[in-house]
Amino acid sequence: MNKQTTLTIFAILLMATASEMYAQTITVSDTLQANSIRARVQSNGAFFLGGQNGEFLVPATTEGLPEISMMKSAGLWLGGRGSAGNLHSSAQPYNENGETDFYPGVLLDNLVPYPEFNLIADVTSAQINAHIANPASQIPAIYSWPARGNSYFFNYYGFYLPFSSYDYLAGFYDEFDNGAYEPNFGAYPVLDLGGCPPEYNADEELWFAFHDVGPHTQSGGLPLGMEVQTQFFGIDCPEGSPVDRVVYVIYQLINKNTIPLDSCYFGVFMDFEVGNGGDDFIGCDPARRVVFAYNGDDVDEGGFENTPPVIAVDLLRGPINELGEEVDEWHFVPVDDANLTASEDFYNLLAGRRLDGTPFPNNGLMYAGNPLNSSDWSEISDGNTPGERKAVASFGPLTLVPGAINELILGYAWVRKDPNGGVADNLSIVGATMDAVEGLYNTCFDLFEG
C-alpha cells in the first residue's frame, strides 16, 4: 500500500468518525459595517448569507435610503488531485440542508481539527487608537485578539489558543519583536498582508479561521487538509468614494496536508443579486482581473428600480505555484448549481469547463467585453435573457505542495456614478472604480490625505 493510498484511506476514515462531532457544529456570525456596506460573514467562511436576498447591503450609511443587497452568497471553492487521481474538493455555496465542506476552527498537527476555535474577532480603528493611547485600559477587543502568544485569550474565550509551526494566527504589531502578542506592553492588531509592513489597520476588521477536514456533504470530494485564516475589513472614507464602497478579503490558505496535490484550482463562488436578482447579467474585464454583475435592463423591479448599481469583484492576488510564481491563468464561468451533483462538477467549473468536461469559450473567461460596446462580447451582444446569475472565478492549475501558504485577496465593491445614474452610467465607471480599489491594495492599505 503506497503513501497516497494510505493517506486517502485515513481521510475517508477521518470524515466518517468526524460526522457525529460536526453534526453539532454551529457557526457564529458577525456583520462588518465600516463604511457604506453592511456585510455578514459566518465562521465557516460563508459570506453574505442572510435574509431572502443576502446581506451585502448598500448604502448602509446614507440617511433616508433603504438598504438593498447586491449579493446573496460568496465562498471558497478548492480542488486538486492526488497522485492516484483521487479528487480533493471543497466548496462553499449556501450551507443549506446540512450540506457543507468547511468548518469553523483551525487544524492541529496530523490534520486534527480544533473546533472550539469557533469565533470571529472584531476590532475597530477607534479601539486600536484608544489602546495605543492607554495600553492598560484593557479594551476587550484588543486583549482578546487571537494572536500568537496572547496570554489573555483564555480569560475571554474559556479555551486556549492553538499552536503549531504554522499558526501565527491574527496579525499584530510586535512592539518588542519577540513573536508574542503582548497588549499590556503596547501590541495591537494590524492587517497581515504578505509583502507589507505590519503597521496598518482598517476602520473595522473581522478575523476568523476555518478548514475543510470533516464530512464533505456539499461537493462529495476528499478534504484538501486546508486551513484558511481570513481577514475581512473595510475602510471609512467620504461617501461616494470608491474606498468607501468596498470590503476587502484576505484569505491565507495553509496546506496542512503531507501529500502534494496536482492540477489544483483556487476559486470563489459568487451569487450576484443586484437588488432583484431575477434580471441580472455578468461579465469580466480580463486586463484588470475584475468580474462584475449588472442589471439586465434599466429598471430593477422591486429592488433599485431605475438606479441599479453594479457589483464588481477585483481578484487582487492569486495563489503561488511550486516555482514561487503567482498563477496568471484564471477563469470566470457561470454556475448552474441545480445541476451540481458530483465532485467532478465542482472541479470542472473551477477549471473553466462545463459540467460535461468540455471547455467554455475564451479559455473560460466568459463575456470578456465591454457591455456598452455592441461589437464586444457580452451577455447583451449574445442576446441573452436577464435572470439569476451565479459564477465562479478561479486561478489554476498549480501544484500544491505540503506546507504551502498562499494568499487569495479580493475586493468586493458596489459601483454607482451618482444617485440618479442608470445601468450604462454605472458600467462606464467600473474600470476607474476598480483601479482605485486596487490602488489602495497596492499601497498596503496605507491611507493618505486625499
Side-chain angles (χ1 to χ4, degrees), residues 377-412:
W377 182 36
S378 70
E379 290 215 67
I380 296 174
S381 67
D382 267 8
N384 293 348
T385 300
E388 290 191 357
R389 292 296 187 266
K390 305 170 186 181
V392 63
S394 60
F395 292 92
L398 69 144
T399 296
L400 186 64
V401 299
I405 300 177
N406 283 283
E407 286 181 323
L408 188 60
I409 304 176
L410 303 94
Y412 291 84

PDB file of all heavy atoms in Angstrom, residues 377-412:
ATOM      1  N   TRP A 377     -17.832  41.291 -26.800  1.00  0.00           N
ATOM      2  CA  TRP A 377     -18.577  40.102 -26.369  1.00  0.00           C
ATOM      3  C   TRP A 377     -19.132  40.313 -24.969  1.00  0.00           C
ATOM      4  O   TRP A 377     -18.381  40.483 -24.009  1.00  0.00           O
ATOM      5  CB  TRP A 377     -17.666  38.885 -26.392  1.00  0.00           C
ATOM      6  CG  TRP A 377     -18.345  37.603 -26.011  1.00  0.00           C
ATOM      7  CD1 TRP A 377     -19.624  37.232 -26.302  1.00  0.00           C
ATOM      8  CD2 TRP A 377     -17.771  36.527 -25.274  1.00  0.00           C
ATOM      9  NE1 TRP A 377     -19.888  35.991 -25.808  1.00  0.00           N
ATOM     10  CE2 TRP A 377     -18.755  35.519 -25.174  1.00  0.00           C
ATOM     11  CE3 TRP A 377     -16.505  36.301 -24.709  1.00  0.00           C
ATOM     12  CZ2 TRP A 377     -18.538  34.312 -24.504  1.00  0.00           C
ATOM     13  CZ3 TRP A 377     -16.283  35.110 -24.064  1.00  0.00           C
ATOM     14  CH2 TRP A 377     -17.282  34.122 -23.961  1.00  0.00           C
ATOM     15  N   SER A 378     -20.439  40.308 -24.843  1.00  0.00           N
ATOM     16  CA  SER A 378     -21.110  40.445 -23.559  1.00  0.00           C
ATOM     17  C   SER A 378     -22.416  39.660 -23.617  1.00  0.00           C
ATOM     18  O   SER A 378     -22.811  39.137 -24.672  1.00  0.00           O
ATOM     19  CB  SER A 378     -21.396  41.912 -23.251  1.00  0.00           C
ATOM     20  OG  SER A 378     -22.403  42.426 -24.118  1.00  0.00           O
ATOM     21  N   GLU A 379     -23.081  39.590 -22.489  1.00  0.00           N
ATOM     22  CA  GLU A 379     -24.394  38.947 -22.495  1.00  0.00           C
ATOM     23  C   GLU A 379     -25.381  39.730 -23.359  1.00  0.00           C
ATOM     24  O   GLU A 379     -26.297  39.150 -23.949  1.00  0.00           O
ATOM     25  CB  GLU A 379     -24.917  38.814 -21.068  1.00  0.00           C
ATOM     26  CG  GLU A 379     -24.180  37.798 -20.216  1.00  0.00           C
ATOM     27  CD  GLU A 379     -25.097  37.084 -19.246  1.00  0.00           C
ATOM     28  OE1 GLU A 379     -25.969  36.317 -19.713  1.00  0.00           O
ATOM     29  OE2 GLU A 379     -24.942  37.317 -18.029  1.00  0.00           O
ATOM     30  N   ILE A 380     -25.177  41.039 -23.434  1.00  0.00           N
ATOM     31  CA  ILE A 380     -26.053  41.862 -24.273  1.00  0.00           C
ATOM     32  C   ILE A 380     -25.851  41.519 -25.745  1.00  0.00           C
ATOM     33  O   ILE A 380     -26.820  41.285 -26.483  1.00  0.00           O
ATOM     34  CB  ILE A 380     -25.796  43.356 -24.014  1.00  0.00           C
ATOM     35  CG1 ILE A 380     -26.174  43.719 -22.565  1.00  0.00           C
ATOM     36  CG2 ILE A 380     -26.576  44.223 -24.998  1.00  0.00           C
ATOM     37  CD1 ILE A 380     -25.811  45.128 -22.182  1.00  0.00           C
ATOM     38  N   SER A 381     -24.585  41.465 -26.197  1.00  0.00           N
ATOM     39  CA  SER A 381     -24.324  41.166 -27.605  1.00  0.00           C
ATOM     40  C   SER A 381     -24.735  39.744 -27.969  1.00  0.00           C
ATOM     41  O   SER A 381     -25.071  39.463 -29.120  1.00  0.00           O
ATOM     42  CB  SER A 381     -22.844  41.390 -27.934  1.00  0.00           C
ATOM     43  OG  SER A 381     -22.032  40.447 -27.269  1.00  0.00           O
ATOM     44  N   ASP A 382     -24.741  38.834 -26.978  1.00  0.00           N
ATOM     45  CA  ASP A 382     -25.187  37.468 -27.227  1.00  0.00           C
ATOM     46  C   ASP A 382     -26.708  37.345 -27.255  1.00  0.00           C
ATOM     47  O   ASP A 382     -27.231  36.283 -27.614  1.00  0.00           O
ATOM     48  CB  ASP A 382     -24.633  36.529 -26.152  1.00  0.00           C
ATOM     49  CG  ASP A 382     -23.316  35.890 -26.575  1.00  0.00           C
ATOM     50  OD1 ASP A 382     -22.772  36.284 -27.629  1.00  0.00           O
ATOM     51  OD2 ASP A 382     -22.819  35.004 -25.845  1.00  0.00           O
ATOM     52  N   GLY A 383     -27.408  38.416 -26.865  1.00  0.00           N
ATOM     53  CA  GLY A 383     -28.863  38.378 -26.851  1.00  0.00           C
ATOM     54  C   GLY A 383     -29.445  37.517 -25.751  1.00  0.00           C
ATOM     55  O   GLY A 383     -30.557  36.980 -25.891  1.00  0.00           O
ATOM     56  N   ASN A 384     -28.731  37.393 -24.642  1.00  0.00           N
ATOM     57  CA  ASN A 384     -29.215  36.573 -23.537  1.00  0.00           C
ATOM     58  C   ASN A 384     -30.394  37.221 -22.822  1.00  0.00           C
ATOM     59  O   ASN A 384     -30.587  38.440 -22.889  1.00  0.00           O
ATOM     60  CB  ASN A 384     -28.087  36.326 -22.525  1.00  0.00           C
ATOM     61  CG  ASN A 384     -26.984  35.470 -23.086  1.00  0.00           C
ATOM     62  OD1 ASN A 384     -27.129  34.870 -24.152  1.00  0.00           O
ATOM     63  ND2 ASN A 384     -25.857  35.420 -22.386  1.00  0.00           N
ATOM     64  N   THR A 385     -31.154  36.403 -22.130  1.00  0.00           N
ATOM     65  CA  THR A 385     -32.269  36.886 -21.315  1.00  0.00           C
ATOM     66  C   THR A 385     -31.767  37.115 -19.902  1.00  0.00           C
ATOM     67  O   THR A 385     -31.137  36.219 -19.309  1.00  0.00           O
ATOM     68  CB  THR A 385     -33.415  35.863 -21.293  1.00  0.00           C
ATOM     69  OG1 THR A 385     -33.868  35.643 -22.632  1.00  0.00           O
ATOM     70  CG2 THR A 385     -34.568  36.356 -20.430  1.00  0.00           C
ATOM     71  N   PRO A 386     -31.999  38.288 -19.318  1.00  0.00           N
ATOM     72  CA  PRO A 386     -31.563  38.516 -17.932  1.00  0.00           C
ATOM     73  C   PRO A 386     -32.200  37.508 -16.983  1.00  0.00           C
ATOM     74  O   PRO A 386     -33.305  37.022 -17.219  1.00  0.00           O
ATOM     75  CB  PRO A 386     -32.042  39.943 -17.635  1.00  0.00           C
ATOM     76  CG  PRO A 386     -32.257  40.565 -18.968  1.00  0.00           C
ATOM     77  CD  PRO A 386     -32.678  39.470 -19.885  1.00  0.00           C
ATOM     78  N   GLY A 387     -31.495  37.220 -15.900  1.00  0.00           N
ATOM     79  CA  GLY A 387     -32.012  36.281 -14.915  1.00  0.00           C
ATOM     80  C   GLY A 387     -31.084  36.170 -13.730  1.00  0.00           C
ATOM     81  O   GLY A 387     -30.233  37.031 -13.506  1.00  0.00           O
ATOM     82  N   GLU A 388     -31.246  35.114 -12.943  1.00  0.00           N
ATOM     83  CA  GLU A 388     -30.347  34.884 -11.831  1.00  0.00           C
ATOM     84  C   GLU A 388     -28.955  34.564 -12.369  1.00  0.00           C
ATOM     85  O   GLU A 388     -28.820  33.813 -13.337  1.00  0.00           O
ATOM     86  CB  GLU A 388     -30.840  33.729 -10.964  1.00  0.00           C
ATOM     87  CG  GLU A 388     -32.091  34.042 -10.165  1.00  0.00           C
ATOM     88  CD  GLU A 388     -32.387  32.969  -9.140  1.00  0.00           C
ATOM     89  OE1 GLU A 388     -31.643  31.965  -9.096  1.00  0.00           O
ATOM     90  OE2 GLU A 388     -33.358  33.131  -8.387  1.00  0.00           O
ATOM     91  N   ARG A 389     -27.939  35.134 -11.736  1.00  0.00           N
ATOM     92  CA  ARG A 389     -26.578  34.910 -12.203  1.00  0.00           C
ATOM     93  C   ARG A 389     -25.680  34.483 -11.045  1.00  0.00           C
ATOM     94  O   ARG A 389     -25.529  35.190 -10.053  1.00  0.00           O
ATOM     95  CB  ARG A 389     -26.005  36.170 -12.859  1.00  0.00           C
ATOM     96  CG  ARG A 389     -26.674  36.537 -14.179  1.00  0.00           C
ATOM     97  CD  ARG A 389     -26.450  35.461 -15.233  1.00  0.00           C
ATOM     98  NE  ARG A 389     -26.937  35.834 -16.549  1.00  0.00           N
ATOM     99  CZ  ARG A 389     -28.139  35.526 -17.025  1.00  0.00           C
ATOM    100  NH1 ARG A 389     -28.994  34.840 -16.272  1.00  0.00           N
ATOM    101  NH2 ARG A 389     -28.493  35.895 -18.247  1.00  0.00           N
ATOM    102  N   LYS A 390     -25.100  33.296 -11.210  1.00  0.00           N
ATOM    103  CA  LYS A 390     -24.129  32.752 -10.267  1.00  0.00           C
ATOM    104  C   LYS A 390     -22.890  32.379 -11.071  1.00  0.00           C
ATOM    105  O   LYS A 390     -22.996  31.970 -12.232  1.00  0.00           O
ATOM    106  CB  LYS A 390     -24.700  31.517  -9.560  1.00  0.00           C
ATOM    107  CG  LYS A 390     -26.036  31.792  -8.877  1.00  0.00           C
ATOM    108  CD  LYS A 390     -26.710  30.533  -8.391  1.00  0.00           C
ATOM    109  CE  LYS A 390     -28.106  30.844  -7.862  1.00  0.00           C
ATOM    110  NZ  LYS A 390     -28.810  29.651  -7.351  1.00  0.00           N
ATOM    111  N   ALA A 391     -21.728  32.515 -10.462  1.00  0.00           N
ATOM    112  CA  ALA A 391     -20.492  32.288 -11.208  1.00  0.00           C
ATOM    113  C   ALA A 391     -19.390  31.864 -10.256  1.00  0.00           C
ATOM    114  O   ALA A 391     -19.503  32.008  -9.031  1.00  0.00           O
ATOM    115  CB  ALA A 391     -20.080  33.555 -11.960  1.00  0.00           C
ATOM    116  N   VAL A 392     -18.309  31.338 -10.825  1.00  0.00           N
ATOM    117  CA  VAL A 392     -17.109  31.060 -10.052  1.00  0.00           C
ATOM    118  C   VAL A 392     -15.925  31.661 -10.799  1.00  0.00           C
ATOM    119  O   VAL A 392     -15.802  31.523 -12.016  1.00  0.00           O
ATOM    120  CB  VAL A 392     -16.918  29.547  -9.794  1.00  0.00           C
ATOM    121  CG1 VAL A 392     -16.734  28.774 -11.075  1.00  0.00           C
ATOM    122  CG2 VAL A 392     -15.745  29.303  -8.852  1.00  0.00           C
ATOM    123  N   ALA A 393     -15.082  32.383 -10.063  1.00  0.00           N
ATOM    124  CA  ALA A 393     -13.821  32.908 -10.583  1.00  0.00           C
ATOM    125  C   ALA A 393     -12.704  32.110  -9.943  1.00  0.00           C
ATOM    126  O   ALA A 393     -12.685  31.927  -8.720  1.00  0.00           O
ATOM    127  CB  ALA A 393     -13.680  34.390 -10.258  1.00  0.00           C
ATOM    128  N   SER A 394     -11.761  31.630 -10.755  1.00  0.00           N
ATOM    129  CA  SER A 394     -10.760  30.709 -10.217  1.00  0.00           C
ATOM    130  C   SER A 394      -9.393  30.925 -10.841  1.00  0.00           C
ATOM    131  O   SER A 394      -9.271  31.439 -11.955  1.00  0.00           O
ATOM    132  CB  SER A 394     -11.200  29.260 -10.456  1.00  0.00           C
ATOM    133  OG  SER A 394     -11.345  29.001 -11.839  1.00  0.00           O
ATOM    134  N   PHE A 395      -8.355  30.506 -10.087  1.00  0.00           N
ATOM    135  CA  PHE A 395      -6.974  30.509 -10.540  1.00  0.00           C
ATOM    136  C   PHE A 395      -6.486  29.073 -10.665  1.00  0.00           C
ATOM    137  O   PHE A 395      -6.801  28.228  -9.838  1.00  0.00           O
ATOM    138  CB  PHE A 395      -6.068  31.237  -9.546  1.00  0.00           C
ATOM    139  CG  PHE A 395      -6.286  32.712  -9.444  1.00  0.00           C
ATOM    140  CD1 PHE A 395      -7.169  33.236  -8.506  1.00  0.00           C
ATOM    141  CD2 PHE A 395      -5.603  33.583 -10.271  1.00  0.00           C
ATOM    142  CE1 PHE A 395      -7.355  34.609  -8.399  1.00  0.00           C
ATOM    143  CE2 PHE A 395      -5.785  34.956 -10.171  1.00  0.00           C
ATOM    144  CZ  PHE A 395      -6.663  35.464  -9.235  1.00  0.00           C
ATOM    145  N   GLY A 396      -5.643  28.806 -11.668  1.00  0.00           N
ATOM    146  CA  GLY A 396      -5.039  27.499 -11.782  1.00  0.00           C
ATOM    147  C   GLY A 396      -4.820  27.126 -13.235  1.00  0.00           C
ATOM    148  O   GLY A 396      -5.170  27.875 -14.144  1.00  0.00           O
ATOM    149  N   PRO A 397      -4.158  25.989 -13.433  1.00  0.00           N
ATOM    150  CA  PRO A 397      -3.781  24.989 -12.428  1.00  0.00           C
ATOM    151  C   PRO A 397      -2.436  25.275 -11.776  1.00  0.00           C
ATOM    152  O   PRO A 397      -1.611  26.011 -12.303  1.00  0.00           O
ATOM    153  CB  PRO A 397      -3.704  23.704 -13.265  1.00  0.00           C
ATOM    154  CG  PRO A 397      -3.262  24.178 -14.615  1.00  0.00           C
ATOM    155  CD  PRO A 397      -3.902  25.517 -14.817  1.00  0.00           C
ATOM    156  N   LEU A 398      -2.228  24.655 -10.605  1.00  0.00           N
ATOM    157  CA  LEU A 398      -0.953  24.727  -9.903  1.00  0.00           C
ATOM    158  C   LEU A 398      -0.752  23.445  -9.112  1.00  0.00           C
ATOM    159  O   LEU A 398      -1.721  22.706  -8.869  1.00  0.00           O
ATOM    160  CB  LEU A 398      -0.893  25.936  -8.970  1.00  0.00           C
ATOM    161  CG  LEU A 398      -1.808  25.900  -7.739  1.00  0.00           C
ATOM    162  CD1 LEU A 398      -1.113  26.550  -6.544  1.00  0.00           C
ATOM    163  CD2 LEU A 398      -3.120  26.622  -8.013  1.00  0.00           C
ATOM    164  N   THR A 399       0.477  23.187  -8.724  1.00  0.00           N
ATOM    165  CA  THR A 399       0.780  22.076  -7.821  1.00  0.00           C
ATOM    166  C   THR A 399       0.826  22.616  -6.398  1.00  0.00           C
ATOM    167  O   THR A 399       1.517  23.599  -6.121  1.00  0.00           O
ATOM    168  CB  THR A 399       2.115  21.415  -8.179  1.00  0.00           C
ATOM    169  OG1 THR A 399       2.009  20.837  -9.487  1.00  0.00           O
ATOM    170  CG2 THR A 399       2.467  20.317  -7.187  1.00  0.00           C
ATOM    171  N   LEU A 400       0.074  21.980  -5.516  1.00  0.00           N
ATOM    172  CA  LEU A 400       0.022  22.409  -4.116  1.00  0.00           C
ATOM    173  C   LEU A 400       0.911  21.486  -3.295  1.00  0.00           C
ATOM    174  O   LEU A 400       0.621  20.297  -3.150  1.00  0.00           O
ATOM    175  CB  LEU A 400      -1.421  22.362  -3.611  1.00  0.00           C
ATOM    176  CG  LEU A 400      -1.683  22.905  -2.207  1.00  0.00           C
ATOM    177  CD1 LEU A 400      -1.382  24.400  -2.137  1.00  0.00           C
ATOM    178  CD2 LEU A 400      -3.127  22.633  -1.796  1.00  0.00           C
ATOM    179  N   VAL A 401       2.009  22.021  -2.775  1.00  0.00           N
ATOM    180  CA  VAL A 401       2.966  21.198  -2.038  1.00  0.00           C
ATOM    181  C   VAL A 401       2.640  21.240  -0.548  1.00  0.00           C
ATOM    182  O   VAL A 401       2.009  22.179  -0.055  1.00  0.00           O
ATOM    183  CB  VAL A 401       4.413  21.679  -2.285  1.00  0.00           C
ATOM    184  CG1 VAL A 401       4.765  21.570  -3.756  1.00  0.00           C
ATOM    185  CG2 VAL A 401       4.600  23.118  -1.792  1.00  0.00           C
ATOM    186  N   PRO A 402       3.039  20.206   0.197  1.00  0.00           N
ATOM    187  CA  PRO A 402       2.795  20.204   1.643  1.00  0.00           C
ATOM    188  C   PRO A 402       3.391  21.446   2.314  1.00  0.00           C
ATOM    189  O   PRO A 402       4.508  21.856   2.009  1.00  0.00           O
ATOM    190  CB  PRO A 402       3.502  18.927   2.111  1.00  0.00           C
ATOM    191  CG  PRO A 402       3.502  18.029   0.915  1.00  0.00           C
ATOM    192  CD  PRO A 402       3.671  18.946  -0.262  1.00  0.00           C
ATOM    193  N   GLY A 403       2.614  22.035   3.205  1.00  0.00           N
ATOM    194  CA  GLY A 403       3.077  23.212   3.930  1.00  0.00           C
ATOM    195  C   GLY A 403       2.958  24.514   3.186  1.00  0.00           C
ATOM    196  O   GLY A 403       3.302  25.568   3.737  1.00  0.00           O
ATOM    197  N   ALA A 404       2.465  24.486   1.948  1.00  0.00           N
ATOM    198  CA  ALA A 404       2.367  25.727   1.167  1.00  0.00           C
ATOM    199  C   ALA A 404       1.415  26.717   1.838  1.00  0.00           C
ATOM    200  O   ALA A 404       0.360  26.341   2.342  1.00  0.00           O
ATOM    201  CB  ALA A 404       1.890  25.424  -0.248  1.00  0.00           C
ATOM    202  N   ILE A 405       1.816  27.982   1.824  1.00  0.00           N
ATOM    203  CA  ILE A 405       0.974  29.059   2.342  1.00  0.00           C
ATOM    204  C   ILE A 405       0.704  30.035   1.201  1.00  0.00           C
ATOM    205  O   ILE A 405       1.627  30.577   0.604  1.00  0.00           O
ATOM    206  CB  ILE A 405       1.637  29.783   3.526  1.00  0.00           C
ATOM    207  CG1 ILE A 405       1.889  28.796   4.674  1.00  0.00           C
ATOM    208  CG2 ILE A 405       0.758  30.933   4.010  1.00  0.00           C
ATOM    209  CD1 ILE A 405       2.610  29.407   5.855  1.00  0.00           C
ATOM    210  N   ASN A 406      -0.564  30.224   0.891  1.00  0.00           N
ATOM    211  CA  ASN A 406      -0.970  31.106  -0.195  1.00  0.00           C
ATOM    212  C   ASN A 406      -1.892  32.201   0.319  1.00  0.00           C
ATOM    213  O   ASN A 406      -2.523  32.059   1.375  1.00  0.00           O
ATOM    214  CB  ASN A 406      -1.712  30.312  -1.282  1.00  0.00           C
ATOM    215  CG  ASN A 406      -0.774  29.520  -2.159  1.00  0.00           C
ATOM    216  OD1 ASN A 406      -0.119  30.067  -3.031  1.00  0.00           O
ATOM    217  ND2 ASN A 406      -0.694  28.210  -1.926  1.00  0.00           N
ATOM    218  N   GLU A 407      -1.956  33.272  -0.446  1.00  0.00           N
ATOM    219  CA  GLU A 407      -2.938  34.327  -0.182  1.00  0.00           C
ATOM    220  C   GLU A 407      -3.832  34.501  -1.401  1.00  0.00           C
ATOM    221  O   GLU A 407      -3.345  34.543  -2.534  1.00  0.00           O
ATOM    222  CB  GLU A 407      -2.244  35.650   0.136  1.00  0.00           C
ATOM    223  CG  GLU A 407      -1.619  35.701   1.512  1.00  0.00           C
ATOM    224  CD  GLU A 407      -0.961  37.048   1.797  1.00  0.00           C
ATOM    225  OE1 GLU A 407      -0.378  37.633   0.866  1.00  0.00           O
ATOM    226  OE2 GLU A 407      -1.024  37.495   2.944  1.00  0.00           O
ATOM    227  N   LEU A 408      -5.112  34.572  -1.152  1.00  0.00           N
ATOM    228  CA  LEU A 408      -6.092  34.915  -2.169  1.00  0.00           C
ATOM    229  C   LEU A 408      -6.789  36.168  -1.666  1.00  0.00           C
ATOM    230  O   LEU A 408      -7.396  36.159  -0.582  1.00  0.00           O
ATOM    231  CB  LEU A 408      -7.086  33.775  -2.354  1.00  0.00           C
ATOM    232  CG  LEU A 408      -8.070  33.869  -3.516  1.00  0.00           C
ATOM    233  CD1 LEU A 408      -7.338  33.937  -4.846  1.00  0.00           C
ATOM    234  CD2 LEU A 408      -9.033  32.683  -3.498  1.00  0.00           C
ATOM    235  N   ILE A 409      -6.664  37.276  -2.416  1.00  0.00           N
ATOM    236  CA  ILE A 409      -7.146  38.578  -1.947  1.00  0.00           C
ATOM    237  C   ILE A 409      -8.144  39.141  -2.947  1.00  0.00           C
ATOM    238  O   ILE A 409      -7.894  39.140  -4.158  1.00  0.00           O
ATOM    239  CB  ILE A 409      -5.975  39.552  -1.747  1.00  0.00           C
ATOM    240  CG1 ILE A 409      -4.946  38.942  -0.796  1.00  0.00           C
ATOM    241  CG2 ILE A 409      -6.465  40.896  -1.218  1.00  0.00           C
ATOM    242  CD1 ILE A 409      -3.704  39.790  -0.598  1.00  0.00           C
ATOM    243  N   LEU A 410      -9.281  39.609  -2.435  1.00  0.00           N
ATOM    244  CA  LEU A 410     -10.344  40.138  -3.275  1.00  0.00           C
ATOM    245  C   LEU A 410     -10.876  41.435  -2.700  1.00  0.00           C
ATOM    246  O   LEU A 410     -10.811  41.671  -1.487  1.00  0.00           O
ATOM    247  CB  LEU A 410     -11.507  39.145  -3.394  1.00  0.00           C
ATOM    248  CG  LEU A 410     -11.203  37.749  -3.920  1.00  0.00           C
ATOM    249  CD1 LEU A 410     -10.955  36.787  -2.766  1.00  0.00           C
ATOM    250  CD2 LEU A 410     -12.352  37.232  -4.770  1.00  0.00           C
ATOM    251  N   GLY A 411     -11.425  42.267  -3.580  1.00  0.00           N
ATOM    252  CA  GLY A 411     -12.149  43.463  -3.168  1.00  0.00           C
ATOM    253  C   GLY A 411     -13.541  43.439  -3.762  1.00  0.00           C
ATOM    254  O   GLY A 411     -13.701  43.363  -4.987  1.00  0.00           O
ATOM    255  N   TYR A 412     -14.577  43.456  -2.910  1.00  0.00           N
ATOM    256  CA  TYR A 412     -15.974  43.474  -3.347  1.00  0.00           C
ATOM    257  C   TYR A 412     -16.465  44.922  -3.284  1.00  0.00           C
ATOM    258  O   TYR A 412     -16.511  45.523  -2.200  1.00  0.00           O
ATOM    259  CB  TYR A 412     -16.838  42.633  -2.424  1.00  0.00           C
ATOM    260  CG  TYR A 412     -16.602  41.146  -2.483  1.00  0.00           C
ATOM    261  CD1 TYR A 412     -15.584  40.541  -1.741  1.00  0.00           C
ATOM    262  CD2 TYR A 412     -17.423  40.319  -3.254  1.00  0.00           C
ATOM    263  CE1 TYR A 412     -15.380  39.170  -1.776  1.00  0.00           C
ATOM    264  CE2 TYR A 412     -17.229  38.953  -3.291  1.00  0.00           C
ATOM    265  CZ  TYR A 412     -16.211  38.376  -2.552  1.00  0.00           C
ATOM    266  OH  TYR A 412     -16.013  37.018  -2.593  1.00  0.00           O
TER     267      TYR A 412
END
